[in-house]
């Protein structure tokens, strides 16, 4: 069974995008698509970035834990809100901490907003950062507009059929990249 890590990026009090992270965890496990675990940046509470993990003399335990979880995963699904057309500093903080761990890592992105565009402006900046750090960014998207009308607090969608159909296609693409990465690694 492949391991998918879901990063819940918002650390905001009263955050809404975490609902989508909860949804994906349940969806992936219930459909038996892979193992799934949420890494919640709110719980990690990393300090503002000063240096990469590989250059830290005394790396904090939570940074080591995060790095190991990313490294040992087969793929990552990032759930991010849109803040002023970009992704939150909590997420940039976490991306910059690591380096080799992101290399050739298949990463799918779900963007969330309370407006009608589903955080679609985040995608270019986040994909670019992940491309720079040599991750394999999945081209499929999962924008969630009007988050409070789409999911309840437990991450259950109001339109179960519609969301499940979209989620199925989205996760399938991530799993395709995961398989492709395995084949490429075997070839090396
Ligand atoms: C600092 C900030 C900036 C925001 N900028 C945008 C934006 O550019 N576009 C948008 O559609 N929504 C924007 N929003 C609204 C968010 O989409 C909405 O608050 C959403 O719930 C954020 O996710 P979160 O609740 O998980 O933090 C912004 C919210 C905050 C707090």
């Amino acid at each position: 069974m492949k391991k998918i890590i879901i990063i819940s990026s918002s650390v905001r009090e009263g955050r809404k995008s975490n609902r989508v992270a909860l949804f994906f965890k349940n969806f992936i496990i219930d459909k038996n698509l892979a193992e799934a675990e949420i890494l919640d940046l709110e719980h990690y509470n990393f300090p503002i970035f000063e240096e990469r993990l590989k250059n830290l003399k005394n790396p904090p335990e939570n940074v080591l834990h995060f790095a190991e979880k990313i490294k040992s995963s087969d793929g990552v699904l990032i759930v991010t809100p849109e803040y002023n057309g970009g992704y939150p500093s909590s997420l940039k903080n976490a991306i910059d901490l690591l380096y080799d761990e992101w290399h050739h890592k298949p990463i799918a992105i779900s963007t969330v907003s309370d407006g009608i565009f589903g955080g679609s402006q985040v995608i270019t900046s986040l994909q670019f950062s992940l491309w720079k750090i040599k991750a394999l960014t999945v081209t499929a998207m999962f924008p969630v507009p009007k988050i409070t009308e789409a999911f309840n607090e437990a991450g259950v969608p109001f339109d179960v059929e519609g969301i499940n159909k979209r989620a199925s296609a989205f996760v399938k693409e991530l799993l395709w990249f995961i398989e492709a990465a395995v084949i490429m690694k075997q070839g090396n």
Side-chain angles (χ1 to χ4, degrees), residues 13 20-21 25 30 33 36 50-51 77 84 108-109 114 120 127 137 141 150 174-175:
E13 197 179 338
V20 180
K25 182 184 171 194
D30 291 350
L33 299 171
E50 286 177 0
E51 187 47 281
L77 195 167
N84 299 318
I109 302 166
D114 62 1
S120 51
Q127 276 202 324
T137 56
M141 300 194 292
L174 173 57
L175 289 169

Side-chain angles (χ1 to χ4, degrees), residues 79-98:
V79 176
T80 181
E82 176 172 311
Y83 290 167
N84 299 318
Y87 57 94
S89 48
S90 50
L91 181 55
K92 180 83 168 102
N93 218 28
I95 291 171
D96 292 345
L97 266 181
L98 308 187

Side-chain angles (χ1 to χ4, degrees), residues 10 12 14-17 81-85 112-115 147:
S10 177
R12 200 175 63 83
R15 65 192 174 159
K16 306 287 188 328
S17 58
E82 176 172 311
Y83 290 167
N84 299 318
V112 180
S113 79
D114 62 1
I147 174 66

